[in-house]
Amino acid sequence: MDRADQLRMTPKIERLNYDMNIPTALAIVHEIGKRKGPDFRIDADNQFAYENIVKWCLGRSDAQSLNPENVKQRVAADLKKGIYLAGPTGSGKTWCLAVMRDFCSVLGLRVRIRGDMERLAWDTYHISSVRNFYLQDGNVRELCKTPVLCINDLGCEPDESVYMGNRGNPAKELIEYRGDQDDAITLFTSNLNLCDPKGRLLEKYGDRVVSRLYEMCNYYQIKGGDRRRPQKTQDHGSERNKA
């Protein structure tokens, strides 16, 4: 069997199951969060998101996610898909995935992609950086080829960017390319719900891209107000979380 045949028969993404009980894993997450900010804690409203993203990181078959069309309904997570984490401005979305990235790094978690072992601790870029890649080279090819990638604040970028007179939407280009691949894992944070009742996500990216996001990601939400602002009563996951 030649190399080409071997690649065709190799699973594109193979998640490894790590044998760690969830209370222990969450204790590690909590310690990582505390090191990032001493006020960090996981409240009851966000327990589901944290616990199940931990399970996703560990490759556990009992990981769950939310149905974007009905967030009261919990569904089985697809471990070969990435994550779409939605929540209000300042609620702690970016903070959550940063803690989870460090969790993967500390434990040395891996994923097998096309037979090669890759680190699960993802590279992270703000959506404005995606635009900067486009403005420099007229494409986002470097990000398209990254095995595990996280994009923060999807939806806050300008609708168009111009490179040498050519107009393009680098975020759409990136999502469409990675959405067409079966050997890439992509994580997003956004202020926009995947099934936004106001249709803002659909208006910004169109049906094709939104359909790709549904196909690419397990859906989660972080709840809470803007934790960057002083609050009289703190009852959220982390008073100093950044989102």
Side-chain angles (χ1 to χ4, degrees), residues 26 28-30 32-33 36-37 40-43 45-57 83-88 90-104 122 124 150 152 187-190 219-223 227-228 237-238 240-243:
L26 287 173
I28 295 172
V29 167
H30 187 264
I32 292 170
K36 286 180 171 294
F40 177 85
R41 59 190 176 89
I42 302 170
D43 64 13
D45 284 342
N46 293 316
Q47 183 74 23
F48 176 83
Y50 272 89
E51 180 174 322
N52 282 281
I53 295 175
V54 162
K55 289 181 177 180
W56 177 89
C57 291
I83 288 172
Y84 188 105
L85 183 61
S91 58
K93 305 177 297 296
T94 297
W95 187 275
C96 174
L97 289 191
V99 170
M100 294 299 178
R101 178 194 61 216
D102 289 355
F103 172 78
C104 292
W122 44 85
T124 301
C150 178
N152 285 326
L187 301 88
F188 300 94
T189 68
S190 179
Y219 183 64
Y220 300 96
Q221 291 182 342
I222 289 290
K223 300 177 181 179
R227 296 166 195 180
R228 298 188 184 98
S238 168
R240 295 179 60 184
N241 284 0
K242 310 294 191 294

Short mmCIF file of all heavy atoms in Angstrom, two decimals, residues 26 28-30 32-33 36-37 40-43 45-57 83-88 90-104 122 124 150 152 187-190 219-223 227-228 237-238 240-243:
data_model
loop_
_atom_site.label_atom_id
_atom_site.label_comp_id
_atom_site.label_asym_id
_atom_site.label_seq_id
_atom_site.Cartn_x
_atom_site.Cartn_y
_atom_site.Cartn_z
N LEU A 26 -11.56 19.68 36.62
CA LEU A 26 -12.08 21.01 36.93
C LEU A 26 -11.25 21.70 38.01
O LEU A 26 -11.11 22.93 38.00
CB LEU A 26 -13.54 20.91 37.36
CG LEU A 26 -14.54 20.62 36.23
CD1 LEU A 26 -15.93 20.38 36.80
CD2 LEU A 26 -14.57 21.78 35.23
N ILE A 28 -8.04 21.41 38.25
CA ILE A 28 -6.89 21.94 37.51
C ILE A 28 -7.29 23.21 36.77
O ILE A 28 -6.54 24.20 36.77
CB ILE A 28 -6.36 20.87 36.54
CG1 ILE A 28 -5.81 19.67 37.32
CG2 ILE A 28 -5.28 21.46 35.63
CD1 ILE A 28 -5.44 18.49 36.44
N VAL A 29 -8.45 23.18 36.13
CA VAL A 29 -8.96 24.37 35.44
C VAL A 29 -9.08 25.53 36.42
O VAL A 29 -8.70 26.67 36.11
CB VAL A 29 -10.31 24.06 34.77
CG1 VAL A 29 -11.01 25.35 34.33
CG2 VAL A 29 -10.12 23.13 33.58
N HIS A 30 -9.63 25.25 37.59
CA HIS A 30 -9.81 26.29 38.60
C HIS A 30 -8.47 26.87 39.03
O HIS A 30 -8.32 28.11 39.16
CB HIS A 30 -10.54 25.70 39.82
CG HIS A 30 -10.93 26.72 40.84
ND1 HIS A 30 -10.17 26.99 41.94
CD2 HIS A 30 -12.01 27.55 40.91
CE1 HIS A 30 -10.75 27.93 42.67
NE2 HIS A 30 -11.87 28.29 42.06
N ILE A 32 -5.67 26.94 37.24
CA ILE A 32 -5.17 27.72 36.12
C ILE A 32 -5.85 29.08 36.08
O ILE A 32 -5.21 30.13 35.90
CB ILE A 32 -5.37 26.98 34.79
CG1 ILE A 32 -4.47 25.74 34.74
CG2 ILE A 32 -5.08 27.89 33.59
CD1 ILE A 32 -4.78 24.81 33.57
N GLY A 33 -7.18 29.08 36.26
CA GLY A 33 -7.93 30.33 36.27
C GLY A 33 -7.49 31.26 37.38
O GLY A 33 -7.36 32.48 37.20
N LYS A 36 -4.41 33.07 36.56
CA LYS A 36 -4.65 34.15 35.60
C LYS A 36 -5.31 35.35 36.28
O LYS A 36 -5.09 36.49 35.89
CB LYS A 36 -5.51 33.66 34.45
CG LYS A 36 -4.79 32.77 33.46
CD LYS A 36 -5.71 32.33 32.35
CE LYS A 36 -4.95 31.61 31.25
NZ LYS A 36 -4.01 32.48 30.52
N GLY A 37 -6.16 35.08 37.26
CA GLY A 37 -6.86 36.14 37.98
C GLY A 37 -7.40 35.59 39.28
O GLY A 37 -8.15 34.61 39.27
N PHE A 40 -11.08 34.38 39.92
CA PHE A 40 -11.70 33.38 39.04
C PHE A 40 -12.47 32.32 39.82
O PHE A 40 -11.98 31.79 40.83
CB PHE A 40 -10.63 32.69 38.20
CG PHE A 40 -11.16 31.60 37.31
CD1 PHE A 40 -11.66 31.89 36.06
CD2 PHE A 40 -11.16 30.28 37.73
CE1 PHE A 40 -12.15 30.89 35.24
CE2 PHE A 40 -11.64 29.27 36.92
CZ PHE A 40 -12.14 29.57 35.68
N ARG A 41 -13.65 32.01 39.36
CA ARG A 41 -14.42 30.88 39.85
C ARG A 41 -15.46 30.51 38.81
O ARG A 41 -15.80 31.32 37.95
CB ARG A 41 -15.09 31.17 41.20
CG ARG A 41 -16.05 32.33 41.20
CD ARG A 41 -16.46 32.69 42.63
NE ARG A 41 -17.30 33.87 42.68
CZ ARG A 41 -18.63 33.85 42.59
NH1 ARG A 41 -19.24 32.69 42.46
NH2 ARG A 41 -19.33 34.95 42.63
N ILE A 42 -15.94 29.30 38.86
CA ILE A 42 -16.95 28.82 37.93
C ILE A 42 -18.28 28.78 38.66
O ILE A 42 -18.43 28.04 39.64
CB ILE A 42 -16.60 27.42 37.39
CG1 ILE A 42 -15.23 27.45 36.71
CG2 ILE A 42 -17.66 26.93 36.42
CD1 ILE A 42 -14.70 26.06 36.36
N ASP A 43 -19.23 29.58 38.22
CA ASP A 43 -20.53 29.61 38.90
C ASP A 43 -21.48 28.59 38.31
O ASP A 43 -21.19 27.92 37.32
CB ASP A 43 -21.13 31.02 38.88
CG ASP A 43 -21.46 31.50 37.48
OD1 ASP A 43 -21.45 30.68 36.54
OD2 ASP A 43 -21.73 32.69 37.32
N ASP A 45 -24.27 28.91 36.69
CA ASP A 45 -24.78 29.20 35.36
C ASP A 45 -23.82 28.73 34.26
O ASP A 45 -24.25 28.43 33.14
CB ASP A 45 -25.03 30.71 35.20
CG ASP A 45 -26.29 31.16 35.91
OD1 ASP A 45 -27.13 30.30 36.22
OD2 ASP A 45 -26.43 32.37 36.16
N ASN A 46 -22.53 28.70 34.57
CA ASN A 46 -21.53 28.35 33.56
C ASN A 46 -20.87 27.00 33.80
O ASN A 46 -19.93 26.62 33.10
CB ASN A 46 -20.47 29.45 33.49
CG ASN A 46 -21.06 30.74 32.94
OD1 ASN A 46 -21.81 30.72 31.97
ND2 ASN A 46 -20.74 31.86 33.58
N GLN A 47 -21.39 26.26 34.76
CA GLN A 47 -20.86 24.93 35.06
C GLN A 47 -20.95 24.01 33.85
O GLN A 47 -20.02 23.26 33.54
CB GLN A 47 -21.61 24.31 36.25
CG GLN A 47 -21.09 22.96 36.69
CD GLN A 47 -19.78 23.03 37.44
OE1 GLN A 47 -19.46 24.08 38.00
NE2 GLN A 47 -19.04 21.93 37.46
N PHE A 48 -22.10 24.05 33.16
CA PHE A 48 -22.29 23.17 32.00
C PHE A 48 -21.23 23.43 30.94
O PHE A 48 -20.61 22.50 30.40
CB PHE A 48 -23.69 23.36 31.41
CG PHE A 48 -23.91 22.55 30.16
CD1 PHE A 48 -24.29 21.21 30.24
CD2 PHE A 48 -23.74 23.11 28.90
CE1 PHE A 48 -24.48 20.46 29.09
CE2 PHE A 48 -23.93 22.36 27.74
CZ PHE A 48 -24.31 21.03 27.85
N ALA A 49 -21.00 24.70 30.62
CA ALA A 49 -20.02 25.04 29.58
C ALA A 49 -18.63 24.58 29.97
O ALA A 49 -17.94 23.89 29.20
CB ALA A 49 -20.04 26.54 29.30
N TYR A 50 -18.20 24.93 31.16
CA TYR A 50 -16.85 24.56 31.59
C TYR A 50 -16.69 23.04 31.67
O TYR A 50 -15.69 22.48 31.19
CB TYR A 50 -16.52 25.20 32.93
CG TYR A 50 -15.93 26.58 32.82
CD1 TYR A 50 -16.74 27.71 32.80
CD2 TYR A 50 -14.56 26.76 32.73
CE1 TYR A 50 -16.20 28.98 32.69
CE2 TYR A 50 -13.99 28.02 32.63
CZ TYR A 50 -14.83 29.13 32.61
OH TYR A 50 -14.27 30.39 32.49
N GLU A 51 -17.64 22.38 32.29
CA GLU A 51 -17.52 20.93 32.47
C GLU A 51 -17.47 20.20 31.14
O GLU A 51 -16.66 19.29 30.94
CB GLU A 51 -18.68 20.41 33.31
CG GLU A 51 -18.63 18.92 33.56
CD GLU A 51 -19.71 18.44 34.51
OE1 GLU A 51 -20.01 19.16 35.48
OE2 GLU A 51 -20.26 17.35 34.27
N ASN A 52 -18.29 20.61 30.20
CA ASN A 52 -18.36 19.88 28.94
C ASN A 52 -17.27 20.28 27.96
O ASN A 52 -16.87 19.46 27.11
CB ASN A 52 -19.75 20.02 28.33
CG ASN A 52 -20.74 19.11 29.01
OD1 ASN A 52 -20.80 17.92 28.75
ND2 ASN A 52 -21.52 19.68 29.93
N ILE A 53 -16.74 21.49 28.06
CA ILE A 53 -15.57 21.82 27.26
C ILE A 53 -14.36 21.05 27.79
O ILE A 53 -13.51 20.60 27.02
CB ILE A 53 -15.32 23.34 27.23
CG1 ILE A 53 -16.48 24.04 26.49
CG2 ILE A 53 -14.01 23.65 26.51
CD1 ILE A 53 -16.41 25.55 26.51
N VAL A 54 -14.29 20.86 29.11
CA VAL A 54 -13.25 20.01 29.69
C VAL A 54 -13.38 18.58 29.14
O VAL A 54 -12.39 17.96 28.73
CB VAL A 54 -13.33 20.00 31.23
CG1 VAL A 54 -12.58 18.81 31.81
CG2 VAL A 54 -12.74 21.29 31.79
N LYS A 55 -14.60 18.07 29.10
CA LYS A 55 -14.81 16.73 28.56
C LYS A 55 -14.41 16.66 27.10
O LYS A 55 -13.83 15.66 26.64
CB LYS A 55 -16.28 16.32 28.74
CG LYS A 55 -16.69 16.04 30.17
CD LYS A 55 -18.15 15.61 30.24
CE LYS A 55 -18.56 15.26 31.66
NZ LYS A 55 -19.99 14.84 31.74
N TRP A 56 -14.72 17.71 26.36
CA TRP A 56 -14.33 17.76 24.94
C TRP A 56 -12.80 17.72 24.83
O TRP A 56 -12.25 16.99 24.00
CB TRP A 56 -14.89 19.03 24.31
CG TRP A 56 -14.50 19.25 22.88
CD1 TRP A 56 -15.16 18.79 21.76
CD2 TRP A 56 -13.36 19.97 22.40
NE1 TRP A 56 -14.49 19.18 20.62
CE2 TRP A 56 -13.39 19.91 20.99
CE3 TRP A 56 -12.33 20.66 23.02
CZ2 TRP A 56 -12.42 20.52 20.20
CZ3 TRP A 56 -11.35 21.26 22.23
CH2 TRP A 56 -11.41 21.20 20.83
N CYS A 57 -12.12 18.50 25.66
CA CYS A 57 -10.66 18.51 25.64
C CYS A 57 -10.08 17.12 25.94
O CYS A 57 -9.09 16.70 25.33
CB CYS A 57 -10.12 19.51 26.67
SG CYS A 57 -10.43 21.25 26.29
N ILE A 83 -15.49 24.32 18.56
CA ILE A 83 -16.36 24.94 19.56
C ILE A 83 -16.75 26.34 19.10
O ILE A 83 -15.91 27.09 18.58
CB ILE A 83 -15.64 25.01 20.93
CG1 ILE A 83 -15.53 23.61 21.54
CG2 ILE A 83 -16.35 25.97 21.88
CD1 ILE A 83 -14.67 23.56 22.79
N TYR A 84 -18.03 26.67 19.28
CA TYR A 84 -18.51 28.04 19.11
C TYR A 84 -19.04 28.47 20.46
O TYR A 84 -20.03 27.94 20.95
CB TYR A 84 -19.61 28.10 18.05
CG TYR A 84 -20.05 29.50 17.66
CD1 TYR A 84 -19.65 30.06 16.45
CD2 TYR A 84 -20.87 30.26 18.49
CE1 TYR A 84 -20.05 31.33 16.08
CE2 TYR A 84 -21.27 31.53 18.14
CZ TYR A 84 -20.87 32.07 16.93
OH TYR A 84 -21.26 33.33 16.58
N LEU A 85 -18.34 29.42 21.09
CA LEU A 85 -18.68 29.87 22.44
C LEU A 85 -19.23 31.29 22.37
O LEU A 85 -18.50 32.23 22.03
CB LEU A 85 -17.44 29.82 23.34
CG LEU A 85 -17.64 30.18 24.82
CD1 LEU A 85 -18.63 29.24 25.49
CD2 LEU A 85 -16.30 30.16 25.54
N ALA A 86 -20.51 31.43 22.69
CA ALA A 86 -21.18 32.72 22.58
C ALA A 86 -21.48 33.29 23.96
O ALA A 86 -21.61 32.56 24.94
CB ALA A 86 -22.48 32.57 21.79
N GLY A 87 -21.59 34.60 24.02
CA GLY A 87 -21.94 35.26 25.26
C GLY A 87 -21.85 36.77 25.12
O GLY A 87 -21.24 37.27 24.17
N PRO A 88 -22.45 37.51 26.05
CA PRO A 88 -22.41 38.97 25.98
C PRO A 88 -21.00 39.53 26.11
O PRO A 88 -20.07 38.84 26.56
CB PRO A 88 -23.27 39.41 27.19
CG PRO A 88 -24.04 38.19 27.58
CD PRO A 88 -23.22 37.01 27.20
N GLY A 90 -17.82 41.01 27.51
CA GLY A 90 -17.23 40.99 28.83
C GLY A 90 -17.64 39.84 29.73
O GLY A 90 -17.29 39.80 30.91
N SER A 91 -18.34 38.85 29.18
CA SER A 91 -18.87 37.77 30.02
C SER A 91 -17.84 36.70 30.36
O SER A 91 -18.05 35.91 31.29
CB SER A 91 -20.09 37.12 29.34
OG SER A 91 -19.75 36.60 28.07
N GLY A 92 -16.73 36.65 29.64
CA GLY A 92 -15.69 35.69 29.97
C GLY A 92 -15.44 34.61 28.93
O GLY A 92 -14.88 33.57 29.24
N LYS A 93 -15.83 34.85 27.68
CA LYS A 93 -15.67 33.84 26.63
C LYS A 93 -14.19 33.59 26.30
O LYS A 93 -13.74 32.45 26.30
CB LYS A 93 -16.42 34.29 25.36
CG LYS A 93 -17.87 34.62 25.56
CD LYS A 93 -18.51 35.12 24.30
CE LYS A 93 -17.93 36.43 23.78
NZ LYS A 93 -18.14 37.57 24.71
N THR A 94 -13.48 34.67 26.02
CA THR A 94 -12.07 34.55 25.69
C THR A 94 -11.30 33.97 26.87
O THR A 94 -10.40 33.13 26.70
CB THR A 94 -11.50 35.93 25.30
OG1 THR A 94 -12.16 36.38 24.13
CG2 THR A 94 -10.00 35.85 25.03
N TRP A 95 -11.64 34.42 28.05
CA TRP A 95 -11.00 33.92 29.28
C TRP A 95 -11.21 32.41 29.40
O TRP A 95 -10.28 31.67 29.71
CB TRP A 95 -11.63 34.64 30.47
CG TRP A 95 -10.97 34.35 31.78
CD1 TRP A 95 -11.22 33.31 32.62
CD2 TRP A 95 -9.95 35.11 32.42
NE1 TRP A 95 -10.44 33.37 33.74
CE2 TRP A 95 -9.65 34.48 33.64
CE3 TRP A 95 -9.28 36.29 32.07
CZ2 TRP A 95 -8.69 34.97 34.52
CZ3 TRP A 95 -8.33 36.78 32.95
CH2 TRP A 95 -8.04 36.12 34.16
N CYS A 96 -12.43 31.95 29.16
CA CYS A 96 -12.75 30.53 29.27
C CYS A 96 -11.86 29.71 28.34
O CYS A 96 -11.23 28.73 28.77
CB CYS A 96 -14.22 30.29 28.95
SG CYS A 96 -14.71 28.55 28.88
N LEU A 97 -11.79 30.08 27.07
CA LEU A 97 -11.01 29.28 26.13
C LEU A 97 -9.51 29.44 26.37
O LEU A 97 -8.74 28.52 26.07
CB LEU A 97 -11.37 29.64 24.69
CG LEU A 97 -12.76 29.19 24.22
CD1 LEU A 97 -12.91 29.36 22.72
CD2 LEU A 97 -13.05 27.74 24.63
N ALA A 98 -9.08 30.57 26.92
CA ALA A 98 -7.67 30.72 27.27
C ALA A 98 -7.30 29.77 28.41
O ALA A 98 -6.24 29.14 28.40
CB ALA A 98 -7.37 32.16 27.67
N VAL A 99 -8.18 29.65 29.40
CA VAL A 99 -7.96 28.71 30.50
C VAL A 99 -7.95 27.28 29.98
O VAL A 99 -7.09 26.46 30.36
CB VAL A 99 -9.04 28.89 31.59
CG1 VAL A 99 -8.98 27.76 32.62
CG2 VAL A 99 -8.87 30.23 32.29
N MET A 100 -8.87 26.96 29.07
CA MET A 100 -8.94 25.61 28.52
C MET A 100 -7.72 25.29 27.65
O MET A 100 -7.22 24.16 27.65
CB MET A 100 -10.22 25.45 27.69
CG MET A 100 -11.49 25.52 28.50
SD MET A 100 -11.57 24.21 29.75
CE MET A 100 -13.13 24.64 30.54
N ARG A 101 -7.23 26.28 26.94
CA ARG A 101 -6.00 26.08 26.15
C ARG A 101 -4.84 25.74 27.08
O ARG A 101 -4.05 24.82 26.81
CB ARG A 101 -5.69 27.33 25.35
CG ARG A 101 -4.41 27.26 24.52
CD ARG A 101 -3.99 28.63 24.04
NE ARG A 101 -3.72 29.51 25.16
CZ ARG A 101 -3.99 30.82 25.17
NH1 ARG A 101 -4.55 31.40 24.13
NH2 ARG A 101 -3.72 31.56 26.24
N ASP A 102 -4.72 26.48 28.19
CA ASP A 102 -3.65 26.19 29.15
C ASP A 102 -3.84 24.83 29.80
O ASP A 102 -2.87 24.12 30.09
CB ASP A 102 -3.60 27.28 30.21
CG ASP A 102 -3.08 28.60 29.67
OD1 ASP A 102 -2.65 28.64 28.50
OD2 ASP A 102 -3.10 29.60 30.42
N PHE A 103 -5.09 24.45 30.03
CA PHE A 103 -5.40 23.12 30.56
C PHE A 103 -4.87 22.04 29.61
O PHE A 103 -4.20 21.09 30.04
CB PHE A 103 -6.91 23.00 30.74
CG PHE A 103 -7.41 21.62 31.09
CD1 PHE A 103 -7.29 21.13 32.38
CD2 PHE A 103 -8.03 20.83 30.13
CE1 PHE A 103 -7.76 19.86 32.71
CE2 PHE A 103 -8.50 19.56 30.44
CZ PHE A 103 -8.36 19.08 31.74
N CYS A 104 -5.12 22.20 28.32
CA CYS A 104 -4.62 21.24 27.33
C CYS A 104 -3.10 21.22 27.30
O CYS A 104 -2.47 20.16 27.16
CB CYS A 104 -5.16 21.59 25.95
SG CYS A 104 -6.93 21.37 25.74
N TRP A 122 -4.51 25.08 21.30
CA TRP A 122 -4.68 25.77 20.02
C TRP A 122 -3.96 27.11 19.95
O TRP A 122 -3.73 27.80 20.94
CB TRP A 122 -6.18 25.99 19.78
CG TRP A 122 -6.91 26.48 20.99
CD1 TRP A 122 -7.06 27.76 21.44
CD2 TRP A 122 -7.60 25.65 21.94
NE1 TRP A 122 -7.79 27.79 22.60
CE2 TRP A 122 -8.14 26.52 22.94
CE3 TRP A 122 -7.82 24.27 22.06
CZ2 TRP A 122 -8.89 26.04 24.02
CZ3 TRP A 122 -8.56 23.80 23.14
CH2 TRP A 122 -9.09 24.68 24.10
N THR A 124 -4.24 30.95 18.99
CA THR A 124 -5.36 31.87 19.16
C THR A 124 -5.08 33.20 18.48
O THR A 124 -3.99 33.77 18.64
CB THR A 124 -5.65 32.12 20.66
OG1 THR A 124 -5.94 30.87 21.29
CG2 THR A 124 -6.83 33.05 20.84
N CYS A 150 -8.06 28.89 17.09
CA CYS A 150 -9.12 29.60 17.80
C CYS A 150 -9.17 31.05 17.33
O CYS A 150 -8.14 31.73 17.26
CB CYS A 150 -8.86 29.56 19.31
SG CYS A 150 -10.08 30.45 20.30
N ASN A 152 -11.05 34.68 18.16
CA ASN A 152 -11.83 35.39 19.16
C ASN A 152 -12.59 36.57 18.55
O ASN A 152 -12.11 37.22 17.61
CB ASN A 152 -10.93 35.91 20.28
CG ASN A 152 -10.48 34.81 21.21
OD1 ASN A 152 -11.22 33.87 21.47
ND2 ASN A 152 -9.25 34.91 21.71
N LEU A 187 -12.11 26.76 16.76
CA LEU A 187 -12.87 27.27 17.90
C LEU A 187 -13.12 28.76 17.68
O LEU A 187 -12.27 29.47 17.14
CB LEU A 187 -12.11 27.06 19.21
CG LEU A 187 -11.74 25.62 19.59
CD1 LEU A 187 -10.40 25.21 18.99
CD2 LEU A 187 -11.70 25.44 21.10
N PHE A 188 -14.29 29.21 18.11
CA PHE A 188 -14.65 30.62 17.98
C PHE A 188 -15.23 31.13 19.29
O PHE A 188 -15.90 30.39 20.01
CB PHE A 188 -15.73 30.82 16.90
CG PHE A 188 -15.35 30.39 15.52
CD1 PHE A 188 -15.69 29.12 15.06
CD2 PHE A 188 -14.68 31.25 14.66
CE1 PHE A 188 -15.36 28.71 13.79
CE2 PHE A 188 -14.35 30.85 13.37
CZ PHE A 188 -14.70 29.58 12.93
N THR A 189 -15.00 32.42 19.57
CA THR A 189 -15.82 33.13 20.54
C THR A 189 -16.53 34.26 19.80
O THR A 189 -16.00 34.79 18.81
CB THR A 189 -14.99 33.73 21.70
OG1 THR A 189 -14.16 34.79 21.20
CG2 THR A 189 -14.14 32.66 22.37
N SER A 190 -17.71 34.60 20.27
CA SER A 190 -18.48 35.64 19.60
C SER A 190 -19.54 36.21 20.53
O SER A 190 -20.05 35.51 21.41
CB SER A 190 -19.16 35.08 18.33
OG SER A 190 -19.93 36.08 17.69
N TYR A 219 -21.81 23.84 20.17
CA TYR A 219 -22.25 25.17 20.62
C TYR A 219 -22.35 25.25 22.14
O TYR A 219 -22.92 24.36 22.79
CB TYR A 219 -23.61 25.49 20.00
CG TYR A 219 -24.13 26.87 20.34
CD1 TYR A 219 -23.44 28.00 19.90
CD2 TYR A 219 -25.29 27.04 21.07
CE1 TYR A 219 -23.91 29.27 20.20
CE2 TYR A 219 -25.77 28.30 21.37
CZ TYR A 219 -25.07 29.42 20.94
OH TYR A 219 -25.53 30.67 21.24
N TYR A 220 -21.78 26.33 22.70
CA TYR A 220 -21.86 26.60 24.14
C TYR A 220 -22.12 28.08 24.37
O TYR A 220 -21.84 28.91 23.50
CB TYR A 220 -20.56 26.20 24.85
CG TYR A 220 -20.21 24.75 24.71
CD1 TYR A 220 -19.34 24.30 23.72
CD2 TYR A 220 -20.76 23.80 25.57
CE1 TYR A 220 -19.03 22.96 23.58
CE2 TYR A 220 -20.46 22.45 25.44
CZ TYR A 220 -19.59 22.04 24.44
OH TYR A 220 -19.29 20.71 24.30
N GLN A 221 -22.61 28.39 25.55
CA GLN A 221 -22.83 29.78 25.93
C GLN A 221 -22.20 30.06 27.30
O GLN A 221 -22.22 29.20 28.18
CB GLN A 221 -24.32 30.11 26.00
CG GLN A 221 -25.01 30.12 24.65
CD GLN A 221 -26.49 30.50 24.77
OE1 GLN A 221 -27.08 30.45 25.85
NE2 GLN A 221 -27.08 30.89 23.66
N ILE A 222 -21.63 31.25 27.43
CA ILE A 222 -21.19 31.77 28.71
C ILE A 222 -22.17 32.85 29.13
O ILE A 222 -22.47 33.76 28.35
CB ILE A 222 -19.76 32.35 28.63
CG1 ILE A 222 -18.74 31.22 28.46
CG2 ILE A 222 -19.43 33.18 29.86
CD1 ILE A 222 -18.57 30.35 29.69
N LYS A 223 -22.67 32.75 30.34
CA LYS A 223 -23.68 33.70 30.82
C LYS A 223 -23.05 34.68 31.80
O LYS A 223 -22.05 34.39 32.44
CB LYS A 223 -24.82 32.94 31.49
CG LYS A 223 -25.52 31.97 30.55
CD LYS A 223 -26.61 31.19 31.27
CE LYS A 223 -27.27 30.20 30.33
NZ LYS A 223 -28.32 29.41 31.02
N ARG A 227 -17.94 41.71 32.98
CA ARG A 227 -17.12 41.58 34.17
C ARG A 227 -15.92 42.52 34.18
O ARG A 227 -15.13 42.53 35.11
CB ARG A 227 -16.67 40.12 34.32
CG ARG A 227 -17.89 39.25 34.54
CD ARG A 227 -17.61 37.79 34.36
NE ARG A 227 -18.90 37.08 34.24
CZ ARG A 227 -19.01 35.79 34.07
NH1 ARG A 227 -17.95 35.04 34.01
NH2 ARG A 227 -20.21 35.24 33.97
N ARG A 228 -15.79 43.30 33.11
CA ARG A 228 -14.76 44.32 33.11
C ARG A 228 -15.19 45.52 33.96
O ARG A 228 -14.35 46.29 34.41
CB ARG A 228 -14.48 44.80 31.68
CG ARG A 228 -13.95 43.73 30.75
CD ARG A 228 -13.54 44.35 29.43
NE ARG A 228 -13.11 43.34 28.46
CZ ARG A 228 -13.89 42.85 27.51
NH1 ARG A 228 -15.13 43.27 27.41
NH2 ARG A 228 -13.43 41.95 26.66
N GLY A 237 -18.87 33.80 36.92
CA GLY A 237 -17.78 32.82 36.92
C GLY A 237 -16.45 33.41 37.31
O GLY A 237 -15.62 32.77 37.90
N SER A 238 -16.21 34.68 36.99
CA SER A 238 -14.95 35.31 37.37
C SER A 238 -15.11 36.81 37.26
O SER A 238 -15.43 37.33 36.20
CB SER A 238 -13.83 34.85 36.44
OG SER A 238 -12.70 35.67 36.63
N ARG A 240 -13.02 39.07 37.16
CA ARG A 240 -12.02 39.75 36.33
C ARG A 240 -11.85 39.06 34.98
O ARG A 240 -10.89 39.29 34.27
CB ARG A 240 -10.67 39.78 37.07
CG ARG A 240 -10.74 40.61 38.33
CD ARG A 240 -9.41 40.60 39.05
NE ARG A 240 -8.37 41.15 38.21
CZ ARG A 240 -7.10 41.19 38.56
NH1 ARG A 240 -6.71 40.68 39.71
NH2 ARG A 240 -6.19 41.71 37.75
N ASN A 241 -12.77 38.20 34.64
CA ASN A 241 -12.67 37.53 33.34
C ASN A 241 -12.68 38.53 32.21
O ASN A 241 -13.40 39.52 32.24
CB ASN A 241 -13.84 36.56 33.14
CG ASN A 241 -13.65 35.31 33.94
OD1 ASN A 241 -12.67 35.16 34.64
ND2 ASN A 241 -14.59 34.40 33.84
N LYS A 242 -11.92 38.23 31.21
CA LYS A 242 -11.95 39.03 29.98
C LYS A 242 -12.69 38.23 28.93
O LYS A 242 -12.63 37.04 28.89
CB LYS A 242 -10.52 39.30 29.49
CG LYS A 242 -9.58 39.84 30.55
CD LYS A 242 -9.96 41.22 31.01
CE LYS A 242 -8.87 41.84 31.85
NZ LYS A 242 -8.65 41.17 33.11
N ALA A 243 -13.40 38.90 28.04
CA ALA A 243 -14.12 38.18 26.99
C ALA A 243 -13.82 38.75 25.65
O ALA A 243 -14.48 38.48 24.70
CB ALA A 243 -15.60 38.21 27.26
#
